[in-house]
Amino acid sequence: MVTGLLLVPWFEEGTEYMGVNALEVYRQGQGPDAELWLKGNLLVGEAIHTVNIQLPVAPFLIEGIHPRDLPAIRDHIGSSDNRIETLLADLTQWMQRCRFSELEQ
């Protein structure tokens, strides 16, 4: 079993495509609101089972962090209390309680 956390969408600082800075455009309001994606992958036999839980990022932010400042969100969540570790642990425990089946051929 593998679990992970992603900040979606994500744009690197200073990256441009066809003269457009995607992060700057995002900061100006284009695109969907940021989410935290908890992902879990479990291999059973030859079948990979994937769980994807998408949570709005706003409840994880403190005052002063703009919800479209992706680098600030990443830095805050990476250095914040153990809420993220708790979320990943909860996902792992939930997946351990599930009954997954193998592929039938």
Side-chain angles (χ1 to χ4, degrees), residues 51-93:
V51 175
N52 187 29
I53 300 171
Q54 297 170 229
L55 303 170
V57 77
F60 296 91
L61 301 181
I62 59 172
E63 188 175 329
I65 296 180
H66 192 276
R68 293 211 163 241
D69 188 348
L70 298 176
I73 293 169
R74 177 206 54 209
D75 293 346
H76 167 67
I77 289 173
S79 67
S80 65
D81 56 59
N82 65 356
R83 287 182 293 177
I84 300 306
E85 292 168 2
T86 301
L87 285 172
L88 289 172
D90 289 348
L91 173 62
T92 299
Q93 289 174 1

